[in-house]
């Protein structure tokens, strides 16, 4: 059976198995746990103690609590990844065997936070390097050892590049003569115009 | 298969005959603890003071025991072979039984510790990917060139390294096909026969 929230593929076996674990908690508590999981997916950290308190009524062992968090993380992040709307998600979860109130509660939490979640997933997408900042300086060369009267402008450019892996910034400096700088600027302006037509 | 002990080794272990069995049991416990967590020379000092011998003798005794245990576990020798190997040392019946018990109790754990010492290649940790389309470059406008950028996270003994790769979709499909073929090899008769025989 193909499910949209799994990217038009089969639902993984472990998710099917844990749906019955989810049904053991009340739908109100499930909605609160969803809120915690959504906070964790957006990078704000998770309050494990709170989740333990919420699942204590259903007498979950530590393995069950972790399984609940894992399956909710999968469902919510996968639905956001494939841009599934909350009604389709609700019907698909009910097809998998999740009771109606649980599915509606889960989908309501999902709907509230769908855009912020997708934004945070977008920022976490693979990026190799990032330009942090640019600084420049224009100098005027008066003379040199080769020629007594040079009188030419010179641009110093410094790019600070943030490495995607380690998060450290590295400076990258160069000097550009006036003509080369004109060419650079013209080409970059053309690229910028092309980017503007696309966005 | 018998363990062949060198003269020096026999000399080191000879110290064990001069102390009573409770001390030998203690030495055995220390030897196993050292295999688990690494040596702690302070323990030699304490034991040397209590037994009124130099700490060198204690160290040799414990190291001799450790070597006996690791060699036995490495070769997975049977009880009888272990008893015969230890008989050469001329210990009392009680001491032999104690050493045999020590060997049998800790054999499995020592084998798992020894298993972790084998050299390892970098292993797969996780994968991030991104699908891009190149629309234009400085030299050519109006292009459509899809490319998949992959960041492969590898793990070697706790060090994380990353490798960045880029491919076009056709090569990626070929890669997927080859990997599926490799997985399919496990289902051929040849592989099945070997796996059955190893079990």
């Amino acid at each position: 059976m193909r499910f949209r929230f799994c990217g038009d593929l089969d639902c993984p076996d472990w998710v099917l198995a844990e749906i019955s674990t989810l049904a053991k908690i009340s739908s109100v508590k499930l909605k609160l746990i969803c809120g915690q999981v959504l906070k964790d997916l957006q990078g704000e950290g998770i309050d494990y103690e709170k989740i333990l308190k919420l699942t204590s009524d259903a007498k979950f062992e530590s393995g069950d609590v972790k399984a609940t968090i894992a399956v909710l993380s999968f469902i919510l992040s996968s639905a956001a990844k494939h841009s599934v709307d909350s009604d389709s998600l609700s019907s698909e979860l009910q097809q998998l065997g999740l009771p109606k109130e649980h599915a509606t509660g889960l989908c309501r939490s999902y709907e509230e936070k769908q855009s912020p979640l997708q934004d945070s997933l977008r920022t976490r997408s693979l990026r190799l390097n990032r330009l942090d900042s640019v600084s420049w300086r224009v100098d005027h060369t008066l003379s040199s050892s080769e020629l007594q009267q040079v009188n030419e402008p010179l641009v110093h450019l410094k790019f600070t590049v943030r490495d995607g892996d380690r998060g450290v910034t590295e400076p990258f400096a160069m000097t550009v003569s006036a003509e080369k700088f004109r060419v650079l600027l013209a080409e970059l302006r053309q690229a910028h115009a092309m980017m503007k037509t696309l966005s | 298969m018998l363990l062949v002990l060198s003269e020096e080794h026999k000399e080191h272990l000879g110290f064990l005959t001069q102390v009573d069995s409770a001390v030998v049991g203690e030495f055995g416990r220390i030897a196993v603890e050292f295999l688990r967590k690494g040596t702690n020379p302070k323990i030699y000092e304490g034991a040397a003071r209590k037994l009124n011998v130099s700490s060198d003798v204690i160290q040799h005794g414990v190291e001799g025991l450790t070597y006996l245990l690791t060699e036995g576990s490495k070769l997975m020798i049977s009880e009888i072979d272990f008893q015969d190997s230890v008989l050469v040392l001329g210990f009392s019946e009680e001491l032999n039984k104690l050493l045999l018990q020590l060997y049998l109790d800790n054999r499995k754990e020592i084998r798992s510790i020894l298993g972790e010492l084998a050299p390892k290649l970098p292993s797969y940790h996780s994968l991030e990917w991104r699908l891009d389309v190149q629309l234009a470059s400085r030299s050519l406008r109006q292009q459509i060139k899809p490319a998949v950028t992959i960041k492969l996270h590898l793990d070697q003994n706790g060090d994380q390294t990353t490798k960045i790769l880029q491919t076009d979709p056709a090569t990626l499909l070929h890669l997927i096909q080859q990997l599926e073929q490799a997985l399919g090899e496990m289902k051929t008769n040849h592989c099945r026969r070997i796996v059955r025989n190893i079990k």
Side-chain angles (χ1 to χ4, degrees), chain A residues 124 126-128 164-165 183 187 190 194 198, chain B residues 128-130 135-136 138 141 149 151 162 164:
Chain A
R124 269 194 274 163
L126 175 60
R127 281 280 290 265
L128 294 174
D165 272 345
V183 174
E187 296 290 340
Q190 288 178 13
M194 192 158 292
L198 290 169
Chain B
E128 287 177 78
W129 59 266
R130 190 176 83 190
L135 295 169
R138 185 185 174 187
R141 305 296 152 83
T149 314
K151 194 163 173 186
T162 56
I164 299 182

PDB file of all heavy atoms in Angstrom, chain A residues 124 126-128 164-165 183 187 190 194 198, chain B residues 128-130 135-136 138 141 149 151 162 164:
ATOM      1  N   ARG A 124      18.042  23.164   7.288  1.00  0.00           N
ATOM      2  CA  ARG A 124      18.948  22.074   7.588  1.00  0.00           C
ATOM      3  C   ARG A 124      19.373  21.293   6.359  1.00  0.00           C
ATOM      4  O   ARG A 124      20.145  20.352   6.466  1.00  0.00           O
ATOM      5  CB  ARG A 124      18.284  21.100   8.565  1.00  0.00           C
ATOM      6  CG  ARG A 124      18.568  21.450   9.998  1.00  0.00           C
ATOM      7  CD  ARG A 124      18.211  20.338  10.885  1.00  0.00           C
ATOM      8  NE  ARG A 124      16.810  20.404  11.233  1.00  0.00           N
ATOM      9  CZ  ARG A 124      16.142  19.389  11.745  1.00  0.00           C
ATOM     10  NH1 ARG A 124      16.732  18.249  11.919  1.00  0.00           N
ATOM     11  NH2 ARG A 124      14.880  19.515  12.046  1.00  0.00           N
ATOM     12  N   LEU A 126      21.187  20.195   2.868  1.00  0.00           N
ATOM     13  CA  LEU A 126      22.623  20.166   2.581  1.00  0.00           C
ATOM     14  C   LEU A 126      23.069  21.460   1.912  1.00  0.00           C
ATOM     15  O   LEU A 126      22.535  21.876   0.911  1.00  0.00           O
ATOM     16  CB  LEU A 126      22.895  18.971   1.667  1.00  0.00           C
ATOM     17  CG  LEU A 126      24.308  18.807   1.150  1.00  0.00           C
ATOM     18  CD1 LEU A 126      25.257  18.652   2.300  1.00  0.00           C
ATOM     19  CD2 LEU A 126      24.372  17.607   0.258  1.00  0.00           C
ATOM     20  N   ARG A 127      24.043  22.113   2.525  1.00  0.00           N
ATOM     21  CA  ARG A 127      24.671  23.267   1.891  1.00  0.00           C
ATOM     22  C   ARG A 127      26.157  23.056   2.077  1.00  0.00           C
ATOM     23  O   ARG A 127      26.582  22.656   3.163  1.00  0.00           O
ATOM     24  CB  ARG A 127      24.301  24.572   2.616  1.00  0.00           C
ATOM     25  CG  ARG A 127      22.963  25.169   2.322  1.00  0.00           C
ATOM     26  CD  ARG A 127      22.926  25.938   1.031  1.00  0.00           C
ATOM     27  NE  ARG A 127      23.668  27.180   1.038  1.00  0.00           N
ATOM     28  CZ  ARG A 127      23.139  28.368   1.295  1.00  0.00           C
ATOM     29  NH1 ARG A 127      21.886  28.490   1.612  1.00  0.00           N
ATOM     30  NH2 ARG A 127      23.894  29.450   1.258  1.00  0.00           N
ATOM     31  N   LEU A 128      26.938  23.312   1.059  1.00  0.00           N
ATOM     32  CA  LEU A 128      28.357  23.022   1.193  1.00  0.00           C
ATOM     33  C   LEU A 128      29.071  24.139   1.936  1.00  0.00           C
ATOM     34  O   LEU A 128      29.574  23.958   3.021  1.00  0.00           O
ATOM     35  CB  LEU A 128      28.971  22.771  -0.181  1.00  0.00           C
ATOM     36  CG  LEU A 128      28.414  21.500  -0.817  1.00  0.00           C
ATOM     37  CD1 LEU A 128      28.914  21.340  -2.230  1.00  0.00           C
ATOM     38  CD2 LEU A 128      28.815  20.301   0.001  1.00  0.00           C
ATOM     39  N   GLY A 164      30.507  24.339   5.810  1.00  0.00           N
ATOM     40  CA  GLY A 164      29.259  23.652   6.143  1.00  0.00           C
ATOM     41  C   GLY A 164      29.426  22.601   7.218  1.00  0.00           C
ATOM     42  O   GLY A 164      28.601  22.430   8.093  1.00  0.00           O
ATOM     43  N   ASP A 165      30.555  21.862   7.162  1.00  0.00           N
ATOM     44  CA  ASP A 165      30.800  20.776   8.123  1.00  0.00           C
ATOM     45  C   ASP A 165      31.029  21.274   9.519  1.00  0.00           C
ATOM     46  O   ASP A 165      30.366  20.876  10.465  1.00  0.00           O
ATOM     47  CB  ASP A 165      32.097  20.046   7.738  1.00  0.00           C
ATOM     48  CG  ASP A 165      31.795  18.946   6.762  1.00  0.00           C
ATOM     49  OD1 ASP A 165      30.621  18.606   6.634  1.00  0.00           O
ATOM     50  OD2 ASP A 165      32.739  18.458   6.144  1.00  0.00           O
ATOM     51  N   VAL A 183      34.785  43.445 -15.027  1.00  0.00           N
ATOM     52  CA  VAL A 183      34.270  42.203 -15.633  1.00  0.00           C
ATOM     53  C   VAL A 183      33.534  41.378 -14.587  1.00  0.00           C
ATOM     54  O   VAL A 183      32.430  40.879 -14.817  1.00  0.00           O
ATOM     55  CB  VAL A 183      35.451  41.385 -16.232  1.00  0.00           C
ATOM     56  CG1 VAL A 183      34.954  40.050 -16.732  1.00  0.00           C
ATOM     57  CG2 VAL A 183      36.123  42.161 -17.336  1.00  0.00           C
ATOM     58  N   GLU A 187      29.536  40.275 -14.748  1.00  0.00           N
ATOM     59  CA  GLU A 187      29.069  38.884 -14.759  1.00  0.00           C
ATOM     60  C   GLU A 187      28.166  38.603 -13.584  1.00  0.00           C
ATOM     61  O   GLU A 187      27.130  37.933 -13.706  1.00  0.00           O
ATOM     62  CB  GLU A 187      30.279  37.931 -14.725  1.00  0.00           C
ATOM     63  CG  GLU A 187      31.173  38.022 -15.929  1.00  0.00           C
ATOM     64  CD  GLU A 187      30.531  37.459 -17.192  1.00  0.00           C
ATOM     65  OE1 GLU A 187      29.573  36.663 -17.074  1.00  0.00           O
ATOM     66  OE2 GLU A 187      30.971  37.831 -18.287  1.00  0.00           O
ATOM     67  N   GLN A 190      24.755  39.946 -14.169  1.00  0.00           N
ATOM     68  CA  GLN A 190      23.945  39.083 -15.040  1.00  0.00           C
ATOM     69  C   GLN A 190      23.398  37.890 -14.278  1.00  0.00           C
ATOM     70  O   GLN A 190      22.219  37.528 -14.422  1.00  0.00           O
ATOM     71  CB  GLN A 190      24.796  38.573 -16.211  1.00  0.00           C
ATOM     72  CG  GLN A 190      25.099  39.647 -17.212  1.00  0.00           C
ATOM     73  CD  GLN A 190      25.981  39.119 -18.323  1.00  0.00           C
ATOM     74  OE1 GLN A 190      26.162  37.905 -18.470  1.00  0.00           O
ATOM     75  NE2 GLN A 190      26.530  40.016 -19.113  1.00  0.00           N
ATOM     76  N   MET A 194      19.416  36.903 -13.518  1.00  0.00           N
ATOM     77  CA  MET A 194      18.847  35.580 -13.774  1.00  0.00           C
ATOM     78  C   MET A 194      18.199  35.016 -12.522  1.00  0.00           C
ATOM     79  O   MET A 194      17.110  34.440 -12.565  1.00  0.00           O
ATOM     80  CB  MET A 194      19.957  34.655 -14.256  1.00  0.00           C
ATOM     81  CG  MET A 194      19.428  33.380 -14.800  1.00  0.00           C
ATOM     82  SD  MET A 194      20.609  32.622 -15.889  1.00  0.00           S
ATOM     83  CE  MET A 194      20.623  33.712 -17.228  1.00  0.00           C
ATOM     84  N   LEU A 198      13.927  34.032 -11.494  1.00  0.00           N
ATOM     85  CA  LEU A 198      13.462  32.736 -11.014  1.00  0.00           C
ATOM     86  C   LEU A 198      12.707  32.812  -9.695  1.00  0.00           C
ATOM     87  O   LEU A 198      11.849  32.004  -9.420  1.00  0.00           O
ATOM     88  CB  LEU A 198      14.650  31.799 -10.819  1.00  0.00           C
ATOM     89  CG  LEU A 198      15.308  31.342 -12.105  1.00  0.00           C
ATOM     90  CD1 LEU A 198      16.609  30.668 -11.782  1.00  0.00           C
ATOM     91  CD2 LEU A 198      14.400  30.389 -12.849  1.00  0.00           C
TER      92      LEU A 198
ATOM     93  N   GLU B 128      23.551  12.652   3.373  1.00  0.00           N
ATOM     94  CA  GLU B 128      22.665  13.775   3.059  1.00  0.00           C
ATOM     95  C   GLU B 128      22.753  13.986   1.564  1.00  0.00           C
ATOM     96  O   GLU B 128      23.822  13.859   0.984  1.00  0.00           O
ATOM     97  CB  GLU B 128      23.158  15.053   3.739  1.00  0.00           C
ATOM     98  CG  GLU B 128      22.955  15.127   5.219  1.00  0.00           C
ATOM     99  CD  GLU B 128      23.549  16.411   5.748  1.00  0.00           C
ATOM    100  OE1 GLU B 128      22.901  17.451   5.594  1.00  0.00           O
ATOM    101  OE2 GLU B 128      24.664  16.368   6.287  1.00  0.00           O
ATOM    102  N   TRP B 129      21.623  14.374   0.934  1.00  0.00           N
ATOM    103  CA  TRP B 129      21.695  14.594  -0.507  1.00  0.00           C
ATOM    104  C   TRP B 129      20.896  15.823  -0.892  1.00  0.00           C
ATOM    105  O   TRP B 129      20.081  16.326  -0.126  1.00  0.00           O
ATOM    106  CB  TRP B 129      21.194  13.372  -1.260  1.00  0.00           C
ATOM    107  CG  TRP B 129      19.787  12.998  -0.941  1.00  0.00           C
ATOM    108  CD1 TRP B 129      19.375  12.095  -0.001  1.00  0.00           C
ATOM    109  CD2 TRP B 129      18.598  13.512  -1.541  1.00  0.00           C
ATOM    110  NE1 TRP B 129      18.020  12.013   0.008  1.00  0.00           N
ATOM    111  CE2 TRP B 129      17.505  12.868  -0.929  1.00  0.00           C
ATOM    112  CE3 TRP B 129      18.341  14.445  -2.541  1.00  0.00           C
ATOM    113  CZ2 TRP B 129      16.193  13.134  -1.271  1.00  0.00           C
ATOM    114  CZ3 TRP B 129      17.027  14.705  -2.888  1.00  0.00           C
ATOM    115  CH2 TRP B 129      15.969  14.053  -2.247  1.00  0.00           C
ATOM    116  N   ARG B 130      21.140  16.293  -2.104  1.00  0.00           N
ATOM    117  CA  ARG B 130      20.471  17.481  -2.606  1.00  0.00           C
ATOM    118  C   ARG B 130      20.384  17.361  -4.110  1.00  0.00           C
ATOM    119  O   ARG B 130      21.349  16.958  -4.756  1.00  0.00           O
ATOM    120  CB  ARG B 130      21.302  18.702  -2.235  1.00  0.00           C
ATOM    121  CG  ARG B 130      20.620  20.008  -2.478  1.00  0.00           C
ATOM    122  CD  ARG B 130      21.475  21.128  -1.998  1.00  0.00           C
ATOM    123  NE  ARG B 130      22.464  21.476  -2.994  1.00  0.00           N
ATOM    124  CZ  ARG B 130      23.465  22.300  -2.762  1.00  0.00           C
ATOM    125  NH1 ARG B 130      23.623  22.805  -1.567  1.00  0.00           N
ATOM    126  NH2 ARG B 130      24.312  22.593  -3.704  1.00  0.00           N
ATOM    127  N   LEU B 135      21.007  26.040 -14.382  1.00  0.00           N
ATOM    128  CA  LEU B 135      20.229  26.702 -15.427  1.00  0.00           C
ATOM    129  C   LEU B 135      21.096  27.495 -16.381  1.00  0.00           C
ATOM    130  O   LEU B 135      20.790  27.634 -17.546  1.00  0.00           O
ATOM    131  CB  LEU B 135      19.202  27.636 -14.795  1.00  0.00           C
ATOM    132  CG  LEU B 135      18.161  26.900 -13.976  1.00  0.00           C
ATOM    133  CD1 LEU B 135      17.372  27.892 -13.176  1.00  0.00           C
ATOM    134  CD2 LEU B 135      17.248  26.111 -14.887  1.00  0.00           C
ATOM    135  N   ALA B 136      22.189  28.051 -15.841  1.00  0.00           N
ATOM    136  CA  ALA B 136      23.042  28.858 -16.707  1.00  0.00           C
ATOM    137  C   ALA B 136      24.412  28.919 -16.093  1.00  0.00           C
ATOM    138  O   ALA B 136      24.590  28.723 -14.892  1.00  0.00           O
ATOM    139  CB  ALA B 136      22.471  30.268 -16.853  1.00  0.00           C
ATOM    140  N   ARG B 138      28.460  31.068 -16.774  1.00  0.00           N
ATOM    141  CA  ARG B 138      29.018  32.255 -17.393  1.00  0.00           C
ATOM    142  C   ARG B 138      29.133  32.065 -18.902  1.00  0.00           C
ATOM    143  O   ARG B 138      28.925  32.987 -19.677  1.00  0.00           O
ATOM    144  CB  ARG B 138      30.391  32.523 -16.786  1.00  0.00           C
ATOM    145  CG  ARG B 138      30.957  33.798 -17.310  1.00  0.00           C
ATOM    146  CD  ARG B 138      32.332  34.015 -16.813  1.00  0.00           C
ATOM    147  NE  ARG B 138      32.870  35.199 -17.466  1.00  0.00           N
ATOM    148  CZ  ARG B 138      34.098  35.600 -17.347  1.00  0.00           C
ATOM    149  NH1 ARG B 138      34.920  34.917 -16.586  1.00  0.00           N
ATOM    150  NH2 ARG B 138      34.506  36.675 -17.962  1.00  0.00           N
ATOM    151  N   ARG B 141      24.040  30.100 -21.475  1.00  0.00           N
ATOM    152  CA  ARG B 141      22.757  30.315 -20.814  1.00  0.00           C
ATOM    153  C   ARG B 141      21.776  29.271 -21.301  1.00  0.00           C
ATOM    154  O   ARG B 141      22.064  28.507 -22.215  1.00  0.00           O
ATOM    155  CB  ARG B 141      22.213  31.719 -21.157  1.00  0.00           C
ATOM    156  CG  ARG B 141      23.173  32.823 -20.842  1.00  0.00           C
ATOM    157  CD  ARG B 141      23.465  32.916 -19.363  1.00  0.00           C
ATOM    158  NE  ARG B 141      24.776  33.470 -19.101  1.00  0.00           N
ATOM    159  CZ  ARG B 141      25.061  34.769 -19.076  1.00  0.00           C
ATOM    160  NH1 ARG B 141      24.117  35.660 -19.300  1.00  0.00           N
ATOM    161  NH2 ARG B 141      26.293  35.177 -18.837  1.00  0.00           N
ATOM    162  N   THR B 149      23.976  16.205  -5.409  1.00  0.00           N
ATOM    163  CA  THR B 149      25.129  16.389  -4.518  1.00  0.00           C
ATOM    164  C   THR B 149      24.910  15.527  -3.290  1.00  0.00           C
ATOM    165  O   THR B 149      23.861  15.572  -2.676  1.00  0.00           O
ATOM    166  CB  THR B 149      25.244  17.849  -4.078  1.00  0.00           C
ATOM    167  OG1 THR B 149      25.091  18.672  -5.223  1.00  0.00           O
ATOM    168  CG2 THR B 149      26.583  18.120  -3.450  1.00  0.00           C
ATOM    169  N   LYS B 151      26.500  14.112   0.463  1.00  0.00           N
ATOM    170  CA  LYS B 151      27.504  14.219   1.519  1.00  0.00           C
ATOM    171  C   LYS B 151      27.459  12.922   2.323  1.00  0.00           C
ATOM    172  O   LYS B 151      26.475  12.608   2.970  1.00  0.00           O
ATOM    173  CB  LYS B 151      27.153  15.396   2.421  1.00  0.00           C
ATOM    174  CG  LYS B 151      28.263  15.821   3.341  1.00  0.00           C
ATOM    175  CD  LYS B 151      27.904  17.197   3.821  1.00  0.00           C
ATOM    176  CE  LYS B 151      28.756  17.755   4.858  1.00  0.00           C
ATOM    177  NZ  LYS B 151      28.283  19.017   5.367  1.00  0.00           N
ATOM    178  N   THR B 162      33.817  13.345   6.395  1.00  0.00           N
ATOM    179  CA  THR B 162      32.764  13.461   5.392  1.00  0.00           C
ATOM    180  C   THR B 162      33.402  13.452   4.016  1.00  0.00           C
ATOM    181  O   THR B 162      34.536  13.901   3.846  1.00  0.00           O
ATOM    182  CB  THR B 162      31.974  14.756   5.541  1.00  0.00           C
ATOM    183  OG1 THR B 162      32.887  15.835   5.485  1.00  0.00           O
ATOM    184  CG2 THR B 162      31.208  14.813   6.830  1.00  0.00           C
ATOM    185  N   ILE B 164      32.336  14.544  -0.010  1.00  0.00           N
ATOM    186  CA  ILE B 164      31.309  15.192  -0.817  1.00  0.00           C
ATOM    187  C   ILE B 164      31.441  14.683  -2.238  1.00  0.00           C
ATOM    188  O   ILE B 164      32.527  14.703  -2.812  1.00  0.00           O
ATOM    189  CB  ILE B 164      31.482  16.714  -0.752  1.00  0.00           C
ATOM    190  CG1 ILE B 164      31.324  17.143   0.700  1.00  0.00           C
ATOM    191  CG2 ILE B 164      30.448  17.402  -1.606  1.00  0.00           C
ATOM    192  CD1 ILE B 164      31.417  18.607   0.896  1.00  0.00           C
TER     193      ILE B 164
END
